[in-house]
Amino acid sequence: MVIEPKVKGFVCITAHPTGCQKNVEEQIAYVKGKGAIRGGCRSALIIGASTGYGLASRICAAFGCGADTVGVFFERPGDVKRERPGSAGWYNTKAFSKLAAEAGLYVADINGDAFSDAVKEQAIEAIKKSPMGKVDLIIYSLASPRRTDPKTGQVYKSVLKTVGQPRTDKSLNTDTGEVVEVNVPVATEQEISDTVKTMGGEDWKLWIEALDKAGVIADGCKSIAYSYLGPTLTYPIYRDGTIGCAKKDLEATVPQIAAIMKKHGGSAYVSMNKALVTQASSAIPVVPLYISILYKVMKQKGVHEDCIMQIQRLFADELYNSKEPDLDEQGRIRIDNLELRDDVQKEVFDIWPRIETQNLNELTDFEGYKKEFLKLFGFGVPGVDYSKDVEI
Ligand code: NAI
């Protein structure tokens, strides 16, 4: 069928298999172009492996380090009967797995709920079947709006709200290109704790405990979870809001994970990553407007990076190549250093109060934002003939 983008609010409900494949090929080419990563992982488990930072991590592990990979994700296959294309992460994974297998690497894909015990068991079985039988890198890159507690069956939903005081701020209607005011309401105590339960560190710890118990953690194994800080501008919505509470909880779990990894001579960290257009970030109020300004400033200064560039730098400069991670005083890896550079943030801060619908395209990279957003779903990718029938 011929597939066109169908954007509904902050999601696109269609995805293009050929476009997604090209995106994956482009990321692989970037990683290969940077050269082999010395002393890299040999066998990696990526939790949240199909899009965004997790996909980039899987690509760096496989094509930068030459590692076997087990990928866990939650994606929708194409439905031929109902003529419904699959999700982008489904096609990304198809493309990745084909190319990794062709390169002679072991690949196992697990499509299911990473929060469940059953998926953890499946991942352990897949690791046991891999050539090494263990993993020496575990990336935790989930972004999910809900979580079913595997012990109680209770469903928790995360909310994007403030803590303490409501907040009225500028935001962007990415459908219409209008700068609007959003009122972000205050979360209740219950909503805060539900968000922490969903996106905090509990599930990361459950994964590491399950892998440890199953004896599949290799000597010297590293585990990294991804987090975000951002500028003070977005603190009320992000860092000091409900999602920030969950991220702080994730960060506070590091010592517990590190204690388990230490038994294997390994280590655990959070990496604070840069704000980027992904399916997860486009749902957060205020953030798309901030990203549009940030892209403009960082591109002008020649320091813009996308997911694959960020993660290649994480692997090559912080985790491997005989390097030790450079940590901040709270023990975190900071690949968000360019985003938060003083000169970058000063310009973003200068632009922020002046933004209105009329000057959006002049003062921000909203065009770039829209392109990146569609690209996530395989649309607008150079070299793809979108008028052609494609297998879903
Ligand atoms: P994304 O939406 O592109 O990827 C999320 C991944 O999680 C996908 O592979 C999806 O299939 C998987 N997933 C979601 N629910 C699942 C479930 N129940 N079971 C199995 N897999 C599931 O998100 P993105 O942006 O790459 O985020 C990944 C991590 O990076 C998150 O922790 C996020 O907070 C963090 N981060 C993101 C930043 C950004 O600007 N996008 C900045 C800094 C950190």
Side-chain angles (χ1 to χ4, degrees):
M1 64 185 278
V2 171
I3 307 172
E4 284 175 358
K6 276 199 193 128
V7 178
K8 288 208 169 148
F10 49 77
V11 287
C12 178
I13 57 167
T14 53
H16 201 281
T18 321
C20 290
Q21 183 188 326
K22 287 248 186 246
N23 285 340
V24 169
E25 285 169 1
E26 187 185 291
Q27 292 194 41
I28 292 173
Y30 176 81
V31 168
K32 282 186 169 171
K34 285 281 173 182
I37 295 166
R38 281 178 292 110
C41 56
R42 292 191 294 138
S43 181
L45 169 66
I46 317 289
I47 304 154
S50 54
T51 53
Y53 277 117
L55 173 66
S57 306
R58 195 175 192 189
I59 290 173
C60 281
F63 292 93
C65 306
D68 297 317
T69 58
V70 175
V72 178
F73 48 85
F74 210 5
E75 299 295 346
R76 189 188 69 236
D79 184 338
V80 178
K81 251 199 210 144
R82 293 162 66 198
E83 295 208 329
R84 236 178 99 196
S87 56
W90 176 264
Y91 296 127
N92 290 339
T93 304
K94 286 278 155 210
F96 168 86
S97 301
K98 184 172 172 286
L99 293 165
E102 279 169 14
L105 301 170
Y106 172 86
V107 180
D109 295 327
I110 295 155
N111 188 17
D113 183 6
F115 297 125
S116 69
D117 291 340
V119 161
K120 290 184 176 72
E121 278 309 312
Q122 282 177 45
I124 287 165
E125 285 315 307
I127 293 167
K128 284 184 178 165
K129 283 190 197 137
S130 70
M132 202 161 103
K134 294 184 177 204
V135 282
D136 59 1
L137 178 68
I138 304 157
I139 297 284
Y140 192 78
S141 185
L142 285 187
S144 174
R146 70 180 61 78
R147 170 171 174 229
T148 305
D149 185 305
K151 304 283 174 286
T152 63
Q154 194 174 332
V155 179
Y156 294 89
K157 287 186 183 159
S158 64
V159 298
L160 294 162
K161 292 190 179 178
T162 60
V163 171
Q165 280 178 347
R167 172 87 177 177
T168 301
D169 217 329
K170 277 186 188 180
S171 195
L172 182 57
N173 180 332
T174 48
D175 271 350
T176 60
E178 280 170 305
V179 177
V180 292
E181 275 209 336
V182 281
N183 298 305
V184 186
V186 182
T188 62
E189 286 300 322
Q190 189 63 49
E191 286 174 320
I192 298 169
S193 83
D194 286 1
T195 306
V196 171
K197 187 91 182 168
T198 308
M199 284 291 284
E202 189 177 86
D203 180 61
W204 184 24
K205 189 161 166 246
L206 289 176
W207 267 101
I208 301 298
E209 286 171 347
L211 296 163
D212 185 33
K213 200 166 154 223
V216 296
I217 298 182
D219 287 348
C221 180
K222 299 178 204 279
S223 185
I224 323 287
Y226 297 145
S227 189
Y228 182 65
L229 183 62
T232 50
L233 189 70
T234 59
Y235 273 15
I237 310 294
Y238 197 98
R239 191 66 186 176
D240 293 339
T242 47
I243 181 70
C245 291
K247 287 298 182 193
K248 284 172 199 158
D249 182 78
L250 180 83
E251 290 158 31
T253 313
V254 171
Q256 296 168 53
I257 310 278
I260 300 174
M261 302 312 267
K262 216 173 157 194
K263 293 195 300 180
H264 305 276
S267 48
Y269 304 100
V270 282
S271 172
M272 309 304 279
N273 297 357
K274 178 193 182 215
L276 281 172
V277 185
T278 64
Q279 295 187 40
S281 69
S282 50
I284 307 172
V286 184
V287 168
L289 182 56
Y290 166 70
I291 289 182
S292 301
I293 303 173
L294 182 72
Y295 274 28
K296 172 101 172 178
V297 174
M298 291 188 82
K299 283 178 185 176
Q300 264 172 358
K301 289 181 181 288
V303 292
H304 174 71
E305 293 172 304
D306 57 15
C307 282
I308 198 68
M309 293 162 99
Q310 277 265 293
I311 300 301
Q312 200 279 337
R313 181 154 72 88
L314 172 69
F315 276 49
D317 293 0
E318 305 288 343
L319 300 181
Y320 303 120
N321 278 335
S322 315
K323 290 186 184 142
E324 284 297 318
D326 203 4
L327 305 176
D328 69 6
E329 58 276 13
Q330 273 126 56
R332 306 171 297 195
I333 300 174
R334 301 301 300 268
I335 56 168
D336 61 352
N337 54 341
L338 299 175
E339 168 182 357
L340 294 184
R341 223 169 64 178
D342 285 349
D343 62 319
V344 171
Q345 284 304 324
K346 189 183 172 306
E347 281 195 34
V348 174
F349 268 64
D350 285 348
I351 292 172
W352 185 264
R354 293 191 281 139
I355 289 287
E356 45 192 49
T357 305
Q358 287 69 23
N359 60 21
L360 184 68
N361 285 319
E362 180 199 336
L363 295 182
T364 80
D365 186 28
F366 181 48
E367 276 308 310
Y369 181 97
K370 282 192 290 190
K371 274 194 191 140
E372 277 293 300
F373 178 78
L374 284 177
K375 200 174 169 216
L376 296 176
F377 305 90
F379 295 107
V381 180
V384 179
D385 182 353
Y386 291 96
S387 65
K388 250 182 150 173
D389 262 338
V390 62
E391 295 261 345
I392 62 164

